[in-house]
Every structure is written in structure tokens, then in C-alpha cells.
Amino acid sequence: MTMKNNGQLSLYLAGGAHTRTPPPIDQGPINEFYFALLPDAAIAARSHALAGHLRRQHRFSTKPRRADLFHVTLYPIGSFRCLPEEVAFAAMEAASRVRKPPFPVVFDRAVSFGKGDNRPLVLWSKDGNAELKALHQELADAMRLTGIAPAKESAVEPHMTLLYQGHLVPDIMLEEPVRWTARDFVLINSLQGEAKHDHLCYWTLHD
């Protein structure tokens, strides 16, 4: 699997743990660290327009997510105040073990996830995107070999979030499914509350 470094990884990994002093636990944003698939720019733009239409149609109070934040989480690694380098290196090692060819991602409906007052509106498929789930499992198995993975893995339900803090609506069948071909996956550091995703590394899908 080919790794594509977009130049940001060195911000997190350079220097080695012995030269870095973690900030105090109560300083700085929480870093959400995970593997994800990204839609291409055209699909992201179409999904953003769809989210705006559904927001107006169903009178959601919150705005859609920005198109550049759309993603499908493959494997959540953890939340950190200061990203441990051993976790970053373990994630890179795990990703390098994955062998899977490109595959289609298809979402045929928008549905309400969550409970109570927090009902994210997401794109989802009743058929489950089996190949996407298989990639999740490969990453989970590879992370387990690094010793970083949790003792109990949670089930994955592939989806792409359009907006947060929605209300419950019936499933909305899309006239035209949102689909693209997944050709790579990315390691993301999401800064909680700042609407910022740092794309640390990409890995190209191939046999």
C-alpha cells in the first residue's frame, strides 16, 4: 500500500518522544484521531447541497457541515489532549499492513442517528457497504497487532454526517444515491470544537 504524506505528519512525529514535553492536561483542544474515507470534491459539493436542501425541507435549525469536513469514519483510534507519538506510529504501522483494492461506496438514504436532542442527519445505506466494513475490519485487526487497539471492538455502521443537532425524521430515500469509488484512506486528527481536520497521511488502496 502506497503512503502519501501531505507534509503535515512531521508536525506530530518529528523529534522523538524524548525531546517533546506534553502540554498540561487542561490546555489545548481535544484531538480526535481516526482513519477515514473522503469523498472527492464533486461528491462533497453535491452532498453539501443535498444537506442544505434537506435542512430547509425538514426545518433543521443547524447548518450543514462544511463540504471539506465530510468523511466516513473507518476506525476511531482515540481522543487525546496531546497526541502520543507511539499511537501515531502504531496507526501508521497498522495502515501499512492493509491490502485491499478500490471499492464503491454507496449511500441511498438520509437518516436520523443518535438519541434525544442530538440527532445527526447522516447518509447511510441499508445494504451496509460490506466492502467498507471489510476495510474497517482489516484496520481493526492490524491495530490489534500493534497493541494499541481497545480490548473490545465496537461495531461499525458506515455513514457520512451531513449536520448535527437535528431532530428525528423518517428515513429519506434519495432520488439518486450518493456514490464514489474509494481509492485511498486517510489518517485524520480532528480538533474538537474547532471544525478543523488535519489530514496526516494517505494510503492508496490496491491488492
Side-chain angles (χ1 to χ4, degrees):
M1 182 158 295
T2 302
M3 183 176 70
K4 299 187 290 184
N5 189 339
N6 69 352
Q8 298 183 51
L9 189 60
S10 59
L11 296 176
Y12 294 84
L13 304 182
H18 62 286
T19 65
R20 296 166 63 90
T21 302
I25 192 67
D26 60 346
Q27 292 185 8
I30 293 177
N31 299 266
E32 298 283 348
F33 199 46
Y34 53 90
F35 291 113
L37 295 177
L38 303 180
D40 60 42
I43 293 299
R46 181 194 162 201
S47 299
H48 189 265
L50 173 63
H53 170 72
L54 294 175
R55 180 201 180 206
R56 293 186 295 272
Q57 183 179 19
H58 295 277
R59 299 185 178 181
F60 292 114
S61 60
T62 55
K63 294 181 180 180
R65 305 192 79 189
R66 296 199 319 262
D68 63 302
L69 298 180
F70 285 159
H71 68 277
V72 181
T73 300
L74 284 172
Y75 184 88
I77 297 170
S79 302
F80 310 92
R81 285 291 184 184
C82 179
L83 183 63
E85 292 185 352
E86 64 271 21
V87 174
F89 280 116
M92 292 175 63
E93 179 184 350
S96 69
R97 296 173 182 267
V98 172
R99 296 291 182 272
K100 186 169 181 57
F103 60 88
V105 177
V106 181
F107 296 118
D108 63 2
R109 66 196 69 196
V111 303
S112 297
F113 269 19
K115 298 179 180 179
D117 294 333
N118 184 11
R119 293 278 188 169
L121 183 69
V122 309
L123 295 180
W124 181 71
S125 175
K126 187 175 182 179
D127 291 338
N129 283 295
E131 290 179 283
L132 194 157
K133 288 183 177 180
L135 177 54
H136 160 83
Q137 191 59 54
E138 285 200 36
L139 283 168
D141 293 342
M143 286 297 293
R144 194 176 299 112
L145 290 175
T146 70
I148 297 294
K152 184 178 181 181
E153 301 285 352
S154 57
V156 63
E157 192 58 66
H159 65 278
M160 188 164 75
T161 302
L162 298 177
L163 58 81
Y164 287 106
Q165 298 296 330
H167 51 260
L168 182 64
V169 296
D171 289 5
I172 305 163
M173 296 298 301
L174 304 181
E175 293 183 6
E176 181 182 351
V178 173
R179 66 174 75 232
W180 73 90
T181 299
R183 302 188 186 280
D184 56 24
F185 65 97
V186 62
L187 183 60
I188 291 179
N189 182 34
S190 173
L191 301 182
Q192 194 175 81
E194 297 191 5
K196 181 181 179 182
H197 288 179
D198 288 330
H199 297 169
L200 306 183
C201 267
Y202 295 80
W203 289 265
T204 302
L205 293 169
H206 62 78
D207 290 318

